[in-house]
Amino acid sequence: MKAQIKPRINLEGRTPLQDVIPLSTPFVVFADPASACNFQCPFCPTGHRSMIDETGRYQGAMRFEVFRKIIDDLAEFDRPIKVLRMYKDGEPFLNKRLADMIAYAKASGRVEYIDTTTNGSLLTPERLKPVLDAGLDKINISVDGMTPDQYRRFTGYDFDFRAFVETIKWLYANRGNCEIVMKIPGELIEEHQKKEFYELFGNYCDRIFIENFAPCWPEFDVEAHTGVKITDGIYQQPVTPTDTCPYVFYSISVNADGLVSSCFLDWGRKLVVGDVREDSLKAIWNSDKLNALRLQHLEGRRTENPVCGSCGQLSHCLPDNIDAYRDVVLKNVRAHIGAVHVTPPGMDVQTEHGAGGQS
């Protein structure tokens, strides 16, 4: 097998966040090409369409002019961002201008690395070639079964698995400098299919891994929706409680409609801190709303926030852990933003909006 058995997240060479917070430039910006998905996976909020309808969340593709504004805004920061993540809530390849977006970001000189995550259902050589030519650095491909029947039961989608396998072979042969990562939730397949997964895809990707389900989305019970009891972390590691979210200190997420969330897991739009269509990304990065959330975590008050308090990402998904350095980081952040105590986000956000690199 050519591929490394290795998680999609990069665990080596990570910057010690306690040494660099506060950051004048985010390491990672999420830009969601599409907030909708053609799959209806039970472990993901986006797969529950009636639930999403209740939030009033925009369901559609990001307009190119909104994306262009995001990239243009990056010029205000001191340096290029390390990673542009072209995914968040939906299926990126539903956006027909995905390749144009990647090309624009690459040409800007403001982005060092671009990756995306896809369910693979829309991948064809015709769709992939422009994306590869545009300069995509990494593609994470989620496999959701090893047979069409498993796909149908889990995703509600009639998936041409044989064609998918051939497309992955084409992608590997034509990948250029793009890294290919294949992953599958182990709970979806039989024990004997785990070996089959490695054998089928292991020679046509750079990394391959069998993940676990994780309770990562706030206010969304993965166990209840899937019937799976979660005991380990997403990468089969022990569950480790963490009090301080590291993501709010190095990343920011632009939703498909331009609303900006403090967190890439904000599926319900309850952590909206701005709107890139109205404000610059730098202004939002330094905003009172986002700084209030940072202070809330550093002051040990994460559970006071109804969204952050129910997040399993910190315990199950191997984030950077800055708990031991919280006092020092708090001092540095307060010195940076001033000691003014602003109202923590949560209810007031809901009222207003309706409801290496760290890669």
Side-chain angles (χ1 to χ4, degrees):
M1 185 172 72
K2 296 177 182 178
Q4 292 181 290
I5 300 178
K6 188 176 180 181
R8 55 193 155 107
I9 190 171
N10 293 327
L11 301 178
E12 306 87 8
R14 296 179 72 80
T15 301
L17 292 175
Q18 65 272 10
D19 295 342
V20 296
I21 296 172
L23 290 169
S24 58
T25 302
F27 283 164
V28 181
V29 173
F30 288 79
D32 198 12
S35 57
C37 186
N38 53 340
F39 279 12
Q40 298 182 64
C41 303
F43 75 89
C44 175
T46 301
H48 297 262
R49 293 172 183 172
S50 61
M51 185 182 300
I52 297 301
D53 287 343
E54 291 175 2
T55 69
R57 190 180 96 183
Y58 169 73
Q59 288 288 84
M62 178 179 283
R63 292 164 51 193
F64 187 76
E65 50 266 38
V66 173
F67 181 80
R68 185 169 55 205
K69 168 70 161 51
I70 297 168
I71 302 304
D72 292 349
D73 278 0
L74 296 179
E76 295 184 5
F77 289 107
D78 296 342
R79 57 179 60 87
I81 62 169
K82 292 182 179 292
V83 183
L84 176 65
R85 297 239 130 97
M86 297 291 292
Y87 65 91
K88 182 178 178 287
D89 294 311
E91 169 50 47
F93 280 83
L94 285 173
N95 193 315
K96 296 180 179 179
R97 299 204 66 180
L98 180 62
D100 294 334
M101 291 174 165
I102 294 170
Y104 189 82
K106 277 287 184 178
S108 72
R110 300 164 190 148
V111 175
E112 294 180 359
Y113 189 92
I114 302 176
D115 63 18
T116 192
T117 296
T118 174
N119 63 31
S121 63
L122 303 177
L123 300 185
T124 63
E126 293 75 21
R127 293 295 304 276
L128 282 166
K129 188 177 186 305
V131 169
L132 295 172
D133 291 344
L136 183 67
D137 293 291
K138 180 180 177 183
I139 183 168
N140 302 303
I141 303 171
S142 301
V143 182
D144 292 309
M146 291 299 291
T147 68
D149 285 343
Q150 286 177 330
Y151 264 89
R152 193 174 299 109
R153 288 198 305 270
F154 185 71
T155 70
Y157 191 88
D158 288 325
F159 191 78
D160 190 337
F161 190 75
R162 181 177 297 181
F164 171 67
V165 173
E166 293 305 310
T167 297
I168 297 303
K169 292 179 180 179
W170 181 94
L171 173 60
Y172 186 72
N174 295 275
R175 70 193 187 283
N177 294 322
C178 182
E179 183 180 19
I180 302 170
V181 180
M182 304 291 297
K183 60 189 182 72
I184 192 170
E187 295 90 347
L188 293 184
I189 54 178
E190 304 294 333
E191 192 63 32
H192 72 275
Q193 289 179 313
K194 295 180 180 179
K195 180 180 179 182
E196 181 184 347
F197 171 68
Y198 286 128
E199 291 177 344
L200 188 60
F201 295 109
N203 286 322
Y204 302 103
C205 60
D206 301 292
R207 300 192 204 182
I208 191 167
F209 203 80
I210 297 176
E211 299 181 349
N212 294 329
F213 284 150
C216 50
W217 284 279
E219 301 183 322
F220 181 84
D221 192 333
V222 174
E223 290 185 338
H225 286 292
T226 63
V228 173
K229 180 66 176 177
I230 298 172
T231 57
D232 297 317
I234 190 171
Y235 303 119
Q236 304 165 15
Q237 82 282 7
V239 173
T240 305
T242 305
D243 289 330
T244 313
C245 176
Y247 299 109
V248 296
F249 296 98
Y250 73 79
S251 68
I252 196 167
S253 302
V254 186
N255 299 300
D257 59 355
L259 291 179
V260 180
S261 292
S262 61
C263 176
F264 65 98
L265 296 166
D266 183 27
W267 64 273
R269 305 300 185 264
K270 294 183 178 180
L271 292 173
V272 171
V273 291
D275 188 334
V276 77
R277 295 166 297 185
E278 300 176 359
D279 304 301
S280 74
L281 199 58
K282 183 176 181 180
I284 298 170
W285 176 249
N286 293 311
S287 67
D288 287 347
K289 284 185 177 179
L290 190 47
N291 282 329
L293 184 61
R294 291 165 177 150
L295 288 175
Q296 191 176 57
H297 280 259
L298 291 172
E299 292 169 357
R301 299 183 294 110
R302 174 173 67 89
T303 56
E304 294 179 11
N305 188 298
V307 182
C308 298
S310 64
C311 178
Q313 176 77 9
L314 303 186
S315 55
H316 288 71
C317 299
L318 285 180
D320 306 273
N321 193 332
I322 59 173
D323 282 355
Y325 310 95
R326 195 162 63 192
D327 290 345
V328 173
V329 174
L330 176 59
K331 179 180 178 181
N332 293 338
V333 169
R334 279 180 171 164
H336 180 69
I337 65 175
V340 178
H341 219 49
V342 290
T343 303
M347 294 306 295
D348 92 308
V349 172
Q350 293 180 42
T351 301
E352 181 173 346
H353 294 286
Q358 308 302 99
S359 55

